[in-house]
Amino acid sequence: MKLKTIIIDDEKASIESLVWELEDYQEQLEIVKTCSSPEQGVAAIRAYRPDLVFLDIEMPSMNGFQLLEKVGQMDFEVIFITAYDEFAVRAFKVNAIDYLLKPIVQAELKRAISKVSAKRESSLNRQNLTSLLEMVNAGKKTLPSIAFPTLEGLEFIEVAHITYCQSDSNYTRLHLVGGESVLVSKTLKEVAALLEAYPFCRVHHSFLVHLIFIKKYLRGKGGHLVLKNGITIPVARSRKEELLQLF
């Protein structure tokens, strides 16, 4: 059975381009509606009950995430269409959300559609969408603060200020922007769990790195990361593939 598909994008040229790209997938998809405003999109979703929605994020009056909140119950798959920068793209990857970066590349379109077909029986994780929205907006506002236990009590640290975390026996040292560090009374595994909604990656049994502070990756058995502040972090061979998939 073909997937009933809706396209929502405020740029008509983008809609026309995507419709043309999707001609190669007529056996898999049926485009039942194209919408050039979020309001039309909400109405179309409610009327057609689609299986798949291609959804632009930045639209006037209502962005893609607000549109999904307005729709409410989601029993369809979403492939986001975004012109966001590198940071936001990493956020999408960390949250395993399907996305297409403008201008759309045919190979990426094929990958996204194949992924949707493979997971059709499941629905999008709303918690992941919430986390993603927080990270995408990180460039516009400060990320939340988290209360970390220390030997003296609790220290409230902004997620955006953590460059990397380093294991220190049963403790973890949080390295912050500016060179300051804080020793917290949690293992690195526990700290990773607190930060799992944000773009961090466990690259080594002793290191958890904030992805937005990575400057480059140096090849090797596992390799090394060079952060924007010049710090070098080892990458475990067993973690290398997981890390590279985020870039």
Side-chain angles (χ1 to χ4, degrees):
M1 182 180 295
K2 293 183 179 182
L3 299 177
K4 290 189 296 182
T5 302
I6 290 175
I7 299 172
I8 306 171
D9 193 320
D10 65 301
E11 298 179 0
K12 291 187 177 181
S14 295
I15 292 178
E16 292 172 358
S17 176
L18 182 54
V19 169
W20 181 78
E21 294 281 1
L22 291 175
E23 286 183 358
D24 292 337
Y25 302 92
Q26 292 182 12
E27 293 184 0
Q28 297 168 260
L29 311 176
E30 178 188 2
I31 300 174
V32 296
K33 185 69 174 178
T34 62
C35 306
S36 57
S37 75
E39 291 78 13
Q40 290 177 7
V42 171
I45 289 172
R46 290 172 175 169
Y48 289 92
R49 300 182 61 84
D51 301 304
L52 172 62
V53 174
F54 286 90
L55 178 60
D56 188 20
I57 294 179
E58 280 299 309
M59 296 182 289
S61 76
M62 189 190 309
N63 67 34
F65 300 103
Q66 292 168 332
L67 182 150
L68 293 178
E69 290 295 329
K70 191 172 184 66
V71 167
Q73 181 66 34
M74 287 174 54
D75 53 0
F76 51 87
E77 303 293 336
V78 175
I79 296 177
F80 286 107
I81 304 170
T82 176
Y84 274 121
D85 60 14
E86 180 183 2
F87 172 77
V89 169
R90 288 178 181 173
F92 278 89
K93 291 182 178 181
V94 168
N95 282 273
I97 300 294
D98 290 317
Y99 71 95
L100 293 171
L101 188 62
K102 292 181 179 180
I104 295 172
V105 176
Q106 179 64 226
E108 291 300 308
L109 177 61
K110 181 177 181 180
R111 174 197 58 78
I113 292 175
S114 296
K115 191 174 178 181
V116 167
S117 298
K119 68 173 186 178
R120 181 63 193 107
E121 293 182 359
S122 65
S123 60
L124 275 175
N125 187 306
R126 294 304 294 273
Q127 183 177 356
N128 273 6
L129 281 174
T130 301
S131 299
L132 175 62
L133 180 56
E134 289 178 354
M135 286 188 284
V136 167
N137 286 331
K140 303 174 184 177
K141 63 181 182 181
T142 303
L143 285 172
S145 294
I146 293 179
F148 289 96
T150 67
L151 296 177
E152 292 77 27
L154 289 176
E155 184 146 355
F156 293 84
I157 299 174
E158 292 183 12
V159 174
H161 290 175
I162 303 172
T163 58
Y164 69 98
C165 310
Q166 183 175 6
S167 176
D168 189 349
S169 187
N170 290 325
Y171 298 87
T172 299
R173 187 165 295 278
L174 306 185
H175 295 268
L176 310 179
V177 173
E180 181 186 359
S181 68
V182 178
L183 186 67
V184 302
S185 306
K186 282 187 176 293
T187 64
L188 187 60
K189 182 178 180 180
E190 292 171 327
V191 170
L194 287 174
L195 296 171
E196 65 180 355
Y198 306 101
F200 285 79
C201 182
R202 184 80 176 267
V203 299
H204 188 278
H205 71 273
S206 296
F207 292 95
L208 178 74
V209 176
H210 199 161
L211 296 179
I212 66 171
F213 291 104
I214 296 174
K215 181 178 181 181
K216 58 184 174 181
Y217 167 75
L218 302 177
R219 298 180 185 278
K221 290 184 179 180
H224 288 80
L225 293 174
V226 179
L227 304 188
K228 293 177 181 178
N229 59 6
I231 298 295
T232 300
I233 304 290
V235 177
R237 183 183 300 181
S238 60
R239 306 275 183 173
K240 178 179 178 180
E241 183 176 350
E242 177 186 353
L243 171 68
L244 295 181
Q245 286 177 351
L246 299 176
F247 294 92

